[in-house]
């Protein structure tokens, strides 16, 4: 379901949630990944080992992606044009055209698990793979590797909303901040003994 969020006309400090609208009624859809711009959302279906793209605002119009054995995380680019599917105990990260379901690229990612995230401008794909605990950055379109880091642990990377910073896990609990304009480290954060499971920036890039 999709829940619209609106400000209350009586009190602008309050938000109104709902009423909900059905996004899709297909059994087994998991891990929705919406485009930041546009009206598409990607889902994975582990039972079919593939992803689906749903066009919001239409009468259950889906695009079916190709098979990806042992499919794991799924990510949609901010512009809604591409979908990346990763794996658990499988092989590779596959990049698909969202409108047609056509396979565009098979990006190397070996090991027992892999993840994928697009940059906010949709120009880069960050792949994390478990065999060497390595993050790699690929330029979308040219599919040229422009950055790589090996770390002792892997977790999903996170971009600030503007795309001016990227955070990656390095070891528990250290986090590195990366400058996406050069793909070089800017700073290391060490939140003492706290266990880091997820990385999220504030909406204004300030935290």
């Amino acid at each position: 379901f999709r829940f619209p969020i609106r400000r209350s006309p009586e009190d602008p400090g309050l938000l109104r949630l709902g009423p909900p609208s059905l996004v899709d009624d297909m059994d087994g859809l998991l891990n929705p990944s919406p485009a930041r711009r546009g009206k598409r959302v990607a889902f994975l279906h582990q039972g079919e080992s593939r992803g689906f793209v749903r066009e919001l605002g239409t009468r259950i119009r889906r695009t079916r992606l190709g098979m990806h054995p042992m499919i794991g995380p799924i990510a949609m680019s901010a512009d809604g044009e591409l979908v990346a599917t990763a794996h658990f105990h499988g092989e590779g990260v596959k990049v698909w055209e969202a409108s047609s379901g056509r396979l565009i690229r098979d990006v190397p990612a070996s090991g027992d698990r892999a993840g994928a995230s697009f940059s906010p401008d949709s120009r880069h794909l960050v792949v994390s793979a478990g065999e060497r605990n390595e993050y790699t950055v690929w330029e979308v379109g040219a599919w040229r590797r422009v950055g790589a880091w090996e770390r002792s642990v892997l977790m999903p990377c996170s971009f600030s909303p503007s795309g001016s910073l990227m955070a990656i896990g390095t070891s528990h609990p250290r986090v590195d901040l990366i400058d996406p304009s050069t793909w070089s480290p800017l700073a290391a954060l060490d939140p003492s003994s706290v266990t880091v499971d997820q990385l999220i920036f504030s909406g204004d890039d300030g935290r």
Side-chain angles (χ1 to χ4, degrees), residues 18-157:
S21 59
L22 181 67
V23 173
D24 208 311
D25 60 356
M26 182 178 180
D27 290 337
L29 293 179
L30 301 170
N31 296 7
S33 177
R36 296 190 183 189
R37 302 183 294 278
K39 294 186 176 181
R40 286 178 177 155
V41 58
F43 298 88
L44 68 84
H45 194 298
Q46 288 183 323
E48 294 195 18
S49 293
R50 70 174 75 243
F52 288 85
V53 176
R54 173 78 166 86
E55 300 280 349
L56 300 178
T58 65
R59 292 180 57 82
I60 313 297
R61 178 183 166 194
R62 303 187 198 97
T63 300
R64 182 188 187 90
L65 307 182
M67 295 279 290
H68 191 163
M70 310 299 289
I71 191 170
I74 190 167
M76 174 165 269
S77 60
D79 58 12
E81 297 299 318
L82 299 176
V83 178
T85 55
H87 68 80
F88 290 119
H89 303 282
E91 193 67 36
V93 167
K94 297 182 183 295
V95 182
W96 313 85
E97 185 177 61
S99 60
S100 66
R102 178 176 64 92
L103 179 64
I104 291 178
R105 191 76 178 184
D106 219 328
V107 179
S110 57
D112 59 355
R113 68 196 185 283
S117 301
F118 286 98
S119 60
D121 61 7
S122 304
R123 295 172 56 190
H124 294 92
L125 175 69
V126 182
V127 172
S128 56
E131 186 171 82
R132 297 171 58 186
N133 278 359
E134 185 178 44
Y135 296 90
T136 55
V137 183
W138 298 83
E139 182 182 348
V140 171
W143 301 113
R144 188 169 54 93
R145 197 167 89 156
V146 295
W149 309 273
E150 288 186 26
R151 296 295 185 262
S152 61
V153 298
L154 288 177
M155 65 178 68
C157 74

